[in-house]
């Protein structure tokens, strides 16, 4: 079955609000966009723009006139429509979204890889000491003080997290990262052997009381912060039910590491496929199948 993509509506989306429970927890390294797809139950159109156009291209489109946006969209449609039949199928859109994500990762790695002095001197590998100096400004023999904080996180905490991620990315354990290993370090959500680190970092971020688990209040707090004088939205109660029914697998009132893994990395969830279905549903004004 084929679906028609009315491409104009992709950039000027008028979207239906979906349940926040329909999508997994947002990863620190977002799979398709730096934006959150949903802020609680509220849909964020910028996520769709970035997923479809690519992050830098989406920003560029925001500054174009409507006429120029339409012209460029027409050129994009020609690229996406591989069989040149005038329509964009779901599979073609999935392939395009995956392409834009891969392009972003490649460009991001190239941009950051080129900031290191050793790389600029044509060294094929990056040492931990140079990464630490370039990223944090610390010499190899220096250790940050616990009191130095950014957004409530100490430099020591950030270095420890980076070191743990570094060691997992360093597959041959020689203490240095090749560009491929640095790609896994920078975008761990893209590499199977890095997913344990993604789970650990998510658990640490959401687990505010540091007991090694995610309580229902911490789960809700990751998505919603109450505002004094305002009633709690209905979707929050739904998420509490979701936690008890689906997230807390063993019924002990909290999520451990394996339950967090199933929350943020569900085996049956494909971000690109889900986004393609979402865009087609919203953009196909005539609902042609």
């Amino acid at each position: 079955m084929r679906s028609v993509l009315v491409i104009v509506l992709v950039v000027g989306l008028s979207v239906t609000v979906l349940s926040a429970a329909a999508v997994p927890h947002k990863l620190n390294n977002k799979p398709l966009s730096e934006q959150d797809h949903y802020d609680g139950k509220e849909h964020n159109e910028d996520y769709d723009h970035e997923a479809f156009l690519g992050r830098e291209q989406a920003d560029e489109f925001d500054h174009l006139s409507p006429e120029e946006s339409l012209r460029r969209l027409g050129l994009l449609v020609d690229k996406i429509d591989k069989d040149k039949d005038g329509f964009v199928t779901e599979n073609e859109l999935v392939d395009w979204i995956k392409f834009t994500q891969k392009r972003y990762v490649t460009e991001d790695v190239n941009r950051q890889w080129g900031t290191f002095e050793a790389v600029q001197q044509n060294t094929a590998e990056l040492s931990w000491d140079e990464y630490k100096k370039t990223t944090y400004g610390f010499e190899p023999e220096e250790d940050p003080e616990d009191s130095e904080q950014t957004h409530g996180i100490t430099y020591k905490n950030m270095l420890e997290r980076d070191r743990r991620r570094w060691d997992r990315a360093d597959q041959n354990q020689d203490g240095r990262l090749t560009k491929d290993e640095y790609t896994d370090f920078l975008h761990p959500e893209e590499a199977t052997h890095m997913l344990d680190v993604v789970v650990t970092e998510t658990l640490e971020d959401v687990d505010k009381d540091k007991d090694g688990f995610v309580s229902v209040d911490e789960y809700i707090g990751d998505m919603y912060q109450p505002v004094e004088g305002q009633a709690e939205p209905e979707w929050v109660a739904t998420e509490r039910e979701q936690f008890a029914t689906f997230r807390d697998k063993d019924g002990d009132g909290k999520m451990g590491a394996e339950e967090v893994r199933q929350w943020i990395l569900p085996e049956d969830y494909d971000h690109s496929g889900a986004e393609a279905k979402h865009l087609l549903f919203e953009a196909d004004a005539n609902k042609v199948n």
Side-chain angles (χ1 to χ4, degrees), residues 110-120 130 134 182:
N110 287 341
R111 180 171 53 250
Q112 299 203 42
W113 183 252
T115 63
F116 299 107
E117 184 177 347
V119 174
Q120 295 169 1
E130 179 165 358
T134 303
Y182 182 70

Side-chain angles (χ1 to χ4, degrees), residues 166-176 181:
W166 179 282
D167 289 342
R168 177 52 72 90
D170 181 16
Q171 291 192 277
N172 63 0
Q173 296 298 297
D174 65 352
R176 307 173 69 85
E181 290 172 330

Side-chain angles (χ1 to χ4, degrees), residues 224 227 229-233:
Y224 167 75
V227 178
Q230 293 186 11
E232 186 177 88

Side-chain angles (χ1 to χ4, degrees), residues 104-152:
Y104 166 75
V105 170
T106 299
E107 291 174 350
D108 188 41
V109 170
N110 287 341
R111 180 171 53 250
Q112 299 203 42
W113 183 252
T115 63
F116 299 107
E117 184 177 347
V119 174
Q120 295 169 1
Q121 296 174 355
N122 297 320
T123 301
E125 296 179 333
L126 179 66
S127 71
W128 167 254
D129 286 342
E130 179 165 358
Y131 170 79
K132 176 181 172 182
K133 179 180 179 180
T134 303
T135 304
Y136 294 99
F138 296 122
E139 296 294 339
E141 66 277 4
E142 288 185 295
D143 283 318
E145 297 294 331
D146 284 335
S147 59
E148 299 179 69
Q149 295 194 10
T150 300
H151 303 299

Side-chain angles (χ1 to χ4, degrees), residues 3 5 16 18 275-285 287:
S3 296
L5 175 63
T16 302
L18 303 177
E275 179 64 10
K277 289 179 184 295
H278 168 69
L279 289 175
L280 285 169
F281 177 82
E282 298 300 339
D284 183 7
K287 298 298 181 288

Side-chain angles (χ1 to χ4, degrees), residues 5-219:
L5 175 63
V6 181
I7 201 69
V8 176
L9 296 182
V10 172
V11 176
L13 285 173
S14 174
V15 295
T16 302
V17 175
L18 303 177
S19 169
V23 293
H25 164 78
K26 56 186 183 292
L27 296 176
N28 291 335
N29 297 82
K30 312 232 178 9
L32 300 179
S33 169
E34 289 297 327
Q35 305 284 336
D36 293 332
H37 203 178
Y38 292 88
D39 180 10
K41 195 177 179 181
E42 191 70 25
H43 181 266
N44 179 9
E45 296 177 5
D46 289 338
Y47 179 98
D48 294 325
H49 294 180
E50 289 191 4
F52 177 74
L53 296 169
R55 301 178 196 188
E56 293 184 2
Q57 288 74 14
D59 182 65
E60 182 181 352
F61 264 73
D62 287 341
H63 297 86
L64 297 177
S65 67
E67 295 77 14
E68 180 62 13
S69 294
L70 288 175
R71 187 189 72 82
R72 295 198 188 185
L73 281 170
L75 297 176
L76 277 180
V77 171
D78 289 339
K79 292 182 180 180
I80 301 170
D81 179 20
K82 292 181 179 179
D83 60 11
K84 306 304 178 186
D85 66 347
F87 299 99
V88 174
T89 67
E90 183 178 316
N91 287 339
E92 287 171 333
L93 190 52
V94 168
D95 288 344
W96 174 257
I97 292 171
K98 288 181 177 178
F99 166 77
T100 60
Q101 170 62 5
K102 184 177 181 179
R103 179 179 62 190
Y104 166 75
V105 170
T106 299
E107 291 174 350
D108 188 41
V109 170
N110 287 341
R111 180 171 53 250
Q112 299 203 42
W113 183 252
T115 63
F116 299 107
E117 184 177 347
V119 174
Q120 295 169 1
Q121 296 174 355
N122 297 320
T123 301
E125 296 179 333
L126 179 66
S127 71
W128 167 254
D129 286 342
E130 179 165 358
Y131 170 79
K132 176 181 172 182
K133 179 180 179 180
T134 303
T135 304
Y136 294 99
F138 296 122
E139 296 294 339
E141 66 277 4
E142 288 185 295
D143 283 318
E145 297 294 331
D146 284 335
S147 59
E148 299 179 69
Q149 295 194 10
T150 300
H151 303 299
I153 303 174
T154 67
Y155 285 123
K156 184 176 182 180
N157 291 152
M158 290 189 286
L159 269 174
E160 288 174 348
R161 284 172 63 124
D162 275 3
R163 186 69 208 218
R164 179 177 58 205
R165 189 187 284 199
W166 179 282
D167 289 342
R168 177 52 72 90
D170 181 16
Q171 291 192 277
N172 63 0
Q173 296 298 297
D174 65 352
R176 307 173 69 85
L177 298 188
T178 64
K179 191 175 183 179
D180 285 344
E181 290 172 330
Y182 182 70
T183 299
D184 295 340
F185 169 80
L186 200 60
H187 293 275
E189 75 286 353
E190 299 292 327
T192 301
H193 68 280
M194 299 291 294
L195 295 183
D196 284 346
V197 172
V198 175
V199 172
T200 298
E201 290 180 0
T202 301
L203 180 54
E204 290 175 346
D205 290 340
V206 183
D207 174 25
K208 301 303 183 184
D209 63 9
K210 305 307 175 187
D211 67 347
F213 299 92
V214 174
S215 68
V216 64
D217 288 339
E218 289 167 335
Y219 171 78

